[in-house]
Amino acid sequence: MANKLLDKVEIPQDRYEMRFSGSGGQGMILATVMLAEAIGATDDRNVVQSQSYGPEARGGASKSDVVISANEIFYPKAMQLDFLLVMTQESMDKYYSDLKEGGILVVDTTLVTDIPTDNYYGLPFTRLAREEAGHIMVANVIALAAIAEITGIISKDALTAAVLKRAPKGTEEKNKKAIEIGFAEAAKLKKQKGS
Amino acid sequence: MATAVKEKQKSNVVLDYLRPGKAMPTVWCAGCGHGIVMNGIIRAIDKTGLSKDEIVMASGIGCSSRMPIYLDFNALHTTHGRSLAFATGVKFARPELKVMVVTGDGDALAIGGNHFIHACRRNIDITCILLNNYIYGMTGGQGSPTTPSQAFSTTTPYDNAEKHFEPTKLAIAAGASYVARTTVYHAPQMEKLILNGLLHRGFSLIEVISNCHTYFGRLNRQGDAVKMINDFKERSVPIARAKSMSAEELEGKIVTGLLHKKETTEFCDVYQSVVDRVQKGM
Amino acid sequence: MAKKERVLVLGNQACVEGAIYAGMRFYAGYPITPSTEVAEGCARELPKIGGRFIQMEDEIGSIAAVIGASVAGLKSMTATSGPGYSLMVENIGYAYMTETPCVIVNVQRGGPSTGLPTKVSQSDTMQAQWGPHGDYTAITVAPSTILETVTETIRAFNLAERFRTPVTVLLDEVMGHSRQIISLPEPGEIEIFNRVKPTVSPEEYLPFEITENYVTPMPAYGEGYRYVITGLTHDQKGFTTNKPEEIAPKLHKLRHKIIDYKDEITKLRAEMMDDAEIAFISYGSVSRAALQATDIARKVGVKVGCLQLQTIWPFPDKEIAEICGGCRKVIVGELNMGQIVNYVRSALPGDIEVVPLQRYDGEILTPMQLIEKLEEVL
């Protein structure tokens, strides 16, 4: 009798649930907004983005969920993650258990060292931003581009347009470079993993 | 004969502005200075040539704040202390209207102190007439932010331990661009200062010292209305003369006249220029 | 017909879009999390259409300016969250008494006091009806999606103008801070109601007339109808009164102009209720979890339905009784310690069990929590 209903029910498979998590100031919310806008501008999929954060603008835990579906999206938050991006150790420890079996985990290896699985995509987004793209601020865009390459959720053109729409004036070149780096590094990684 | 007609016309000016259908008398005690101020306001408005429809008179709560109900303008009798915030909404929504606020020392400076300094700061085109009688009259004689130190009220029965505000100094410091003070004794000066306040584009404060003989006078042994108003006369010093007087000499005096005037931009005008710029895509 | 543009809209921005669509041209407010994006959106958008935005010194001044602008003829709005709403209730009461149309948006966060600025709650539901002191009847609407935030804000303005009363839009942190790809309504798609203006001469005009249908025309300041607006109890001319025979009709009007026209105000969304044996009753963001739970449970054969209250006040008791009449049980989900559950209980006959499901830890109820409760009561 106990949990009969709960055993039977299934979380709807028509929802693709993503979470971007890190700390305030890493641009997790903005990255999901750009992703949602890119999808909205490209096709008819429904997209809902929601976020949760502490009272501080910088430094506190920050997460942003994106739910994508061909059908009407009722519940706006993730129920069982198909995808998780973690940019800090804190968010790794907090959200890894929300990732479903077979879900995709992407990790910023600059800041996250303790990873409870071998099955993940690790790239040093923060270091790449600082050393290759010229500014730490674009780490989220590098991550976003890498995610697009890894998941195929959005095309490079659509993503570039969405990023440039939101990028502050004068940062267009840095952002374009960040997108290139993200796609290239993720492609390399995929190849390695494939072999 | 000619003089009699002229006198009659003069008094009719006031009657012309009383709200039709409103039962009199007012809530004010016999001899209250507030009636003199109402008279002065009417005469000043009459000189502006503005129509009654163009004038909005807002107020809060207290004896002075009843005034808009008696006058034939667009009347907004609001909550305690908030009249300047309501008036800001009216003026900003329809800048073509002439917006006035009638307030008292408790209404403007205690519960409404925050709205008062911010209305001054914005320099929004509102003419604010502050009837300062040093006490809460309507609730029966409690101390206000202008009750002088050591004065008596029903809430300072052993004398006032607090210090008092000088509303004109507060207004000048907060950014008001027209600040004047007078008393109910100085009726012609009051009319002139209110008129110039109405003609000034920006926030204008005209503080009028008024007599509450019922409470302030009685509790502080200052006598009846006539005695109190005479006392205002005795203690008043025109600003021109006050400038050459020492702080000691000015102790207990009421400095009257135009205390401060600054030509500067007005809030609604500046916002309109922002709107124009945005609409032109600049 | 050309396909509508799809845009990603933040809940708080959806509120701005709806308000402007409804004709709002005046916003006064004070920054407070999680509502601030409403103010920011208005500051950005209103100058473009010749409207006016002002950041006031506090929430008391904000609602005062909103009422002032409304009597001057502009549709006006403010937005805030619990602590700010608490400061506003004084002048919201003034708007009830003076029958001034305006819209107040409350993007709810956890309370009491400063509470949880960035966390969701529905604990101001009662406050939306009972905030100010005195007797009056409130209208409160509660959207649950981003598109509904647009349309319910429009409806709030229509109701405010139609009934000459303040209307509260209850959002919450999840609503205000989530985004969704939507298509905004086209001009003309949704009907807009504007306040009725007097047709009689100023001499004949009674600003607070008690008419048969309680509609009292309202001129703007400057249009030739000079009258008194006062928060003191007043007669039909607007003059203050202490006469029992004038006091009671005024208060009677404040209540009956709303409750006698409840059918025009009440709005609900019923999903899968036709054969439902158990119903989820909820409003705001919880309805999204309830819809999800309904969808999930239906797939395994549970006869459950979902009833969302888009109008919370006046409480839609008659409609709830009608729609849930065939249910054995209803589950009332709220992000508080039970603010509408007793209203639901008194709306339903005694043989329908009313089961509360409450969460007040700063998080939204999840579909799985609703399903767990469903399992308990099956």
Side-chain angles (χ1 to χ4, degrees):
Chain A
M1 182 70 196
N3 285 343
K4 247 170 96 184
L5 181 59
L6 281 173
D7 287 344
K8 275 197 288 184
V9 297
E10 272 183 24
I11 287 171
Q13 295 305 303
D14 61 347
R15 292 160 63 98
Y16 190 73
E17 303 188 343
M18 307 178 79
R19 176 169 299 161
F20 289 28
S21 62
S23 95
Q26 284 184 313
M28 292 299 95
I29 292 167
L30 181 59
T32 53
V33 167
M34 294 194 269
L35 174 61
E37 284 187 333
I39 294 169
T42 316
D43 53 64
D44 284 337
R45 281 179 288 176
N46 291 307
V47 185
V48 175
Q49 177 271 343
S50 68
Q51 60 215 36
S52 131
Y53 58 95
E56 54 286 85
R58 294 287 179 273
S62 165
K63 75 162 181 184
S64 183
D65 289 358
V66 181
V67 180
I68 304 157
S69 177
N71 303 315
E72 183 182 350
I73 296 166
F74 300 127
Y75 190 58
K77 305 231 171 207
M79 292 188 280
Q80 197 177 49
L81 294 173
D82 296 281
F83 173 92
L84 175 64
L85 165 69
V86 294
M87 298 286 284
T88 62
Q89 189 64 51
E90 189 194 354
S91 48
M92 172 64 92
D93 301 343
K94 209 167 163 184
Y95 301 123
Y96 177 68
S97 59
D98 295 342
L99 187 64
K100 77 177 189 190
E101 222 182 301
I104 298 171
L105 175 66
V106 174
V107 181
D108 182 351
T109 50
T110 323
L111 301 167
V112 185
T113 48
D114 188 7
I115 304 165
T117 173
D118 293 332
N119 186 19
Y120 69 96
Y121 292 89
L123 283 171
F125 299 122
T126 304
R127 187 177 62 73
L128 288 168
R130 198 171 45 221
E131 292 174 9
E132 309 286 326
H135 204 291
I136 194 166
M137 290 297 287
V138 294
N140 61 341
V141 174
I142 299 177
L144 193 52
I147 291 161
E149 171 66 29
I150 291 163
T151 62
I153 193 116
I154 192 76
S155 73
K156 190 172 172 180
D157 287 348
L159 185 69
T160 306
V163 168
L164 291 181
K165 194 183 138 199
R166 288 270 173 182
K169 272 209 163 52
T171 66
E172 292 87 350
E173 288 313 309
K174 275 195 181 69
N175 277 291
K176 278 189 207 163
K177 197 168 172 192
I179 291 168
E180 292 301 329
I181 294 167
F183 272 97
E185 291 291 329
K188 259 194 271 174
L189 191 63
K190 265 170 89 177
K191 220 172 181 179
Q192 277 171 26
K193 278 186 89 95
S195 62
Chain B
M1 180 70 192
T3 323
V5 170
K6 214 175 158 195
E7 281 306 309
K8 190 166 174 285
Q9 278 170 346
K10 225 172 162 184
S11 62
N12 273 352
V13 167
V14 173
L15 294 178
D16 278 351
Y17 285 88
L18 295 183
R19 186 178 296 282
K22 176 63 191 162
M24 292 288 167
T26 67
V27 295
W28 302 323
C29 304
C32 176
H34 290 9
I36 303 172
V37 183
M38 183 162 86
N39 202 302
I41 289 174
I42 291 171
R43 288 173 193 282
I45 288 173
D46 190 60
K47 288 217 167 79
T48 63
L50 289 162
S51 77
K52 295 171 183 173
D53 286 331
E54 291 172 276
I55 295 171
V56 177
M57 188 176 276
S59 66
I61 297 296
C63 293
S64 59
S65 290
R66 288 298 177 104
M67 193 184 296
I69 296 175
Y70 307 129
L71 297 180
D72 191 15
F73 306 120
N74 299 286
L76 193 59
H77 179 241
T78 73
T79 46
H80 198 19
R82 319 298 177 207
S83 56
L84 280 165
F86 281 88
T88 297
V90 174
K91 180 70 189 181
F92 192 30
R94 283 179 87 98
E96 67 273 22
L97 295 172
K98 175 55 74 181
V99 179
M100 304 177 74
V101 163
V102 177
T103 181
D105 40 302
D107 192 57
L109 303 171
I111 191 164
N114 201 29
H115 308 303
F116 180 76
I117 57 173
H118 288 278
C120 293
R121 174 179 66 80
R122 287 188 189 100
N123 195 37
I124 185 165
D125 186 24
I126 291 172
T127 309
C128 176
I129 294 145
L130 196 166
L131 285 73
N132 182 2
N133 57 10
Y134 309 112
I135 206 150
Y136 286 81
M138 188 157 276
T139 46
Q142 296 75 36
S144 91
T146 59
T147 302
S149 299
Q150 298 175 338
F152 294 97
S153 71
T154 62
T155 49
T156 57
Y158 308 109
D159 89 21
N160 185 14
E162 297 190 19
K163 295 190 181 3
H164 68 272
F165 265 144
E166 281 200 40
T168 52
K169 283 187 180 167
L170 188 61
I172 293 165
S177 53
Y178 178 102
V179 179
R181 189 198 287 119
T182 184
T183 84
V184 292
Y185 174 80
H186 303 83
Q189 182 191 42
M190 183 203 311
E191 185 186 317
K192 196 181 91 189
L193 290 172
I194 294 171
L195 174 62
N196 288 337
L198 285 166
L199 298 175
H200 175 77
R201 187 143 185 95
F203 189 84
S204 51
L205 172 74
I206 299 100
E207 180 193 4
V208 184
I209 308 296
S210 183
N211 57 297
C212 178
H213 48 281
T214 303
Y215 293 110
F216 192 81
R218 186 165 53 81
L219 293 167
N220 291 284
R221 299 177 186 278
Q222 292 192 351
D224 61 10
V226 175
K227 201 156 174 289
M228 283 187 83
I229 294 172
N230 255 320
D231 180 57
F232 296 156
K233 173 191 160 192
E234 301 299 327
R235 290 199 289 130
S236 288
V237 179
I239 177 70
R241 184 139 56 85
K243 277 178 179 158
S244 58
M245 289 168 71
S246 70
E248 290 74 34
E249 288 172 315
L250 284 170
E251 188 69 37
K253 297 282 189 262
I254 303 166
V255 179
T256 60
L258 177 60
L259 308 182
H260 171 79
K261 190 176 178 191
K262 191 170 80 177
E263 292 306 327
T264 181
T265 53
E266 190 274 335
F267 169 68
C268 299
D269 291 342
V270 176
Y271 192 86
Q272 189 56 50
S273 69
V274 171
V275 168
D276 294 343
R277 207 171 69 219
V278 171
Q279 290 189 328
K280 280 184 201 133
M282 284 152 70
Chain C
M1 202 177 105
K3 215 175 143 197
K4 280 185 176 179
E5 194 192 356
R6 279 159 43 91
V7 280
L8 185 73
V9 181
L10 180 75
N12 283 337
Q13 180 64 27
C15 186
V16 177
E17 301 283 353
I20 288 174
Y21 188 100
M24 184 267 290
R25 292 295 179 272
F26 187 99
Y27 181 98
Y30 188 82
I32 181 168
T33 305
S35 77
T36 307
E37 295 84 0
V38 181
E40 290 171 341
C42 289
R44 204 169 49 237
E45 298 304 323
L46 281 172
K48 295 181 189 168
I49 53 172
R52 318 216 160 258
F53 168 90
I54 186 168
Q55 182 171 323
M56 292 296 287
E57 49 274 17
D58 55 30
E59 286 89 346
I60 303 169
S62 301
I63 181 69
V66 159
I67 295 167
S70 183
V71 300
L74 297 187
K75 289 189 185 178
S76 53
M77 175 173 93
T78 186
T80 186
S81 189
Y85 198 95
S86 294
L87 285 174
M88 285 181 187
V89 295
E90 173 199 42
N91 286 334
I92 296 173
Y94 182 85
Y96 282 120
M97 181 57 109
T98 58
E99 305 186 51
T100 306
C102 58
V103 171
I104 306 117
V105 180
N106 181 353
V107 189
Q108 296 170 93
R109 63 194 230 185
S113 190
T114 314
L116 299 161
T118 63
K119 294 281 192 176
V120 70
S121 170
Q122 294 180 323
S123 51
D124 305 342
T125 310
M126 282 290 214
Q127 190 189 36
Q129 163 60 61
W130 302 116
H133 60 273
D135 268 331
Y136 52 86
T137 297
I139 300 179
T140 299
V141 301
S144 86
T145 67
I146 305 300
L147 184 58
E148 259 182 34
T149 304
V150 179
T151 55
E152 286 299 288
T153 304
I154 297 170
R155 196 164 76 90
F157 273 96
N158 284 346
L159 292 170
E161 295 284 318
R162 158 72 181 82
F163 293 101
R164 278 193 62 175
T165 190
V167 173
T168 300
V169 179
L170 270 188
L171 300 180
D172 59 48
E173 191 276 336
V174 168
M175 302 282 313
H177 280 169
S178 57
R179 293 176 176 83
Q180 193 161 358
I181 300 273
I182 59 165
S183 296
L184 293 165
E186 302 281 348
E189 195 179 319
I190 298 175
E191 201 181 338
I192 300 303
F193 189 94
N194 296 312
R195 69 189 65 167
V196 178
K197 295 277 180 134
T199 50
V200 298
S201 69
E203 291 71 32
E204 294 168 292
Y205 175 62
L206 287 175
F208 299 97
E209 189 177 4
I210 300 171
T211 59
E212 209 175 313
N213 62 1
Y214 297 116
V215 175
T216 312
M218 181 178 174
Y221 275 178
E223 289 179 346
Y225 295 83
R226 299 183 303 276
Y227 64 103
V228 178
I229 299 176
T230 176
L232 285 162
T233 306
H234 43 265
D235 63 16
Q236 299 189 46
K237 288 183 187 134
F239 292 143
T240 59
T241 183
N242 269 322
K243 294 180 187 151
E245 67 274 21
E246 288 173 348
I247 295 166
K250 170 75 193 186
L251 292 183
H252 187 270
K253 180 190 182 190
L254 292 187
R255 176 159 175 75
H256 285 272
K257 71 174 181 179
I258 309 290
I259 58 160
D260 291 2
Y261 294 87
K262 231 173 109 176
D263 290 349
E264 285 182 46
I265 302 166
T266 298
K267 196 174 161 208
L268 305 100
R269 177 180 177 186
E271 294 288 339
M272 316 216 189
M273 284 300 300
D274 291 346
D275 62 340
E277 292 169 4
I278 299 174
F280 291 121
I281 298 180
S282 62
Y283 52 96
S285 58
V286 177
S287 292
R288 305 189 63 166
L291 264 174
Q292 189 76 63
T294 304
D295 186 55
I296 291 170
R298 278 273 171 179
K299 284 189 178 126
V300 293
V302 181
K303 284 193 173 166
V304 61
C306 180
L307 181 59
Q308 178 202 343
L309 314 185
Q310 288 157 316
T311 304
I312 302 183
W313 309 114
F315 197 73
D317 40 12
K318 191 181 75 189
E319 292 77 7
I320 290 174
E322 275 166 21
I323 297 166
C324 299
C327 296
R328 285 188 293 118
K329 295 178 182 184
V330 299
I331 298 168
V332 181
E334 294 184 85
L335 303 180
N336 54 51
M337 301 181 89
Q339 300 207 2
I340 68 155
V341 64
N342 287 331
Y343 281 86
V344 173
R345 201 168 267 138
S346 58
L348 293 173
D351 58 342
I352 300 177
E353 193 187 339
V354 177
V355 182
L357 174 57
Q358 292 146 9
R359 189 164 185 181
Y360 38 86
D361 60 354
E363 300 291 331
I364 184 175
L365 277 165
T366 66
M368 285 307 155
Q369 285 176 314
L370 287 155
I371 289 169
E372 268 174 48
K373 185 54 83 176
L374 184 62
E375 168 130 59
E376 262 177 56
V377 304
L378 266 182

